[in-house]
Amino acid sequence: QQQVKQSPQSLIVQKGGISIINCAYENTAFDYFPWYQQFPGKGPALLIAIRPDVSEKKEGRFTISFNKSAKQFSLHIMDSQPGDSATYFCAATGGYQKVTFGTGTKLQVIP
Amino acid sequence: GAVVSQHPSRVICKSGTSVKIECRSLDFQATTMFWYRQFPKQSLMLMATSNEGSKATYEQGVEKDKFLINHASLTLSTLTVTSAHPEDSSFYICSALDRNTEAFFGQGTRLTVV
């Protein structure tokens, strides 16, 4: 059962543009929603995370928007750069529970 | 952020042999660690949850006798792939939870069974 749905599967954005990746979850017990960035041949690295008591969190060029009633959250990458080209995974977890990952979005930022 | 070290990063082994992968939390204690498997262009698939001092909890469809997990200390968990076969070739990734329940990932291990 896919508990975290992620879209799009792939995304091409021009340098300087905004990259937007969306996720939706089902389990209302989730209380922590991280985003991970993964480069080929490397493990995922925590990028930014949010808890459901806030609707938005911004760190540099990365922003998470969170809609608790709709059970959706999204990652916005402002001023996208070629170095941002990677696979992004949204995830959800609660307490000392396993992290449930989305299916991943391969982002390519073209010059 | 916290650092999780995974070793080796790459390993090639012959079919029928066993391979051990180590996952260490370098600057924090982790009572819970997770092992994942990732196929090319796919998401991470949880294999098992490793709790210090107790038996690992395996996900449905994962053979516990084939993928042996040991979590003997608060900073070390190991995954041993026993009697490896070519179909076990994959990218294996561990993660550890810190006290804030944030998950930090190792660098991954590329296993190739020939």
Side-chain angles (χ1 to χ4, degrees), chain B residues 3-59:
Chain B
V3 179
V4 174
S5 176
Q6 190 173 337
H7 178 81
S9 58
R10 291 177 177 271
V11 59
I12 301 174
C13 71
K14 290 186 177 180
S15 187
T17 61
S18 296
V19 173
K20 180 185 283 189
I21 303 169
E22 291 187 349
C23 180
R24 294 181 185 272
S25 56
L26 296 186
D27 50 2
F28 67 100
Q29 294 184 330
T31 55
T32 303
M33 291 186 176
F34 303 99
W35 286 96
Y36 297 84
R37 184 172 181 176
Q38 187 177 33
F39 292 103
K41 299 183 180 180
Q42 292 190 23
S43 189
L44 287 76
M45 275 179 34
L46 180 66
M47 299 174 66
T49 302
S50 169
N51 292 297
E52 187 266 338
S54 64
K55 291 184 179 180
T57 303
Y58 290 82
E59 294 299 300

Side-chain angles (χ1 to χ4, degrees), chain A residues 46-67:
Chain A
L46 179 65
L47 191 62
I48 186 173
I50 197 169
R51 295 195 183 270
D53 52 343
V54 296
S55 60
E56 186 175 283
K57 183 175 182 180
K58 184 176 181 179
E59 291 183 359
R61 295 185 294 111
F62 301 94
T63 300
I64 299 178
S65 297
F66 187 84
N67 185 329

Side-chain angles (χ1 to χ4, degrees), chain A residues 8-26:
Chain A
Q9 189 174 6
S10 63
L11 182 61
I12 299 175
V13 173
Q14 279 208 306
K15 179 182 175 181
I18 303 173
S19 305
I20 302 174
I21 305 171
N22 300 298
C23 285
Y25 64 99
E26 299 170 5

Side-chain angles (χ1 to χ4, degrees), chain A residues 32 36 38 41-46 51 89 93 95-99 101-104 106, chain B residues 31-32 34 36 38 42-44 46 59 91 93 97-103 105-107:
Chain A
Y32 181 67
Y36 293 92
Q38 186 179 29
K42 303 293 183 184
L46 179 65
R51 295 195 183 270
F89 293 96
T93 187
Y96 281 87
Q97 301 302 312
K98 58 189 177 184
V99 177
F101 286 91
T103 48
K106 185 174 182 179
Chain B
T31 55
T32 303
F34 303 99
Y36 297 84
Q38 187 177 33
Q42 292 190 23
S43 189
L44 287 76
L46 180 66
E59 294 299 300
F91 193 54
I93 306 171
L97 291 186
D98 71 359
R99 62 179 183 175
N100 295 319
T101 69
E102 284 195 23
F105 287 81
Q107 310 95 309

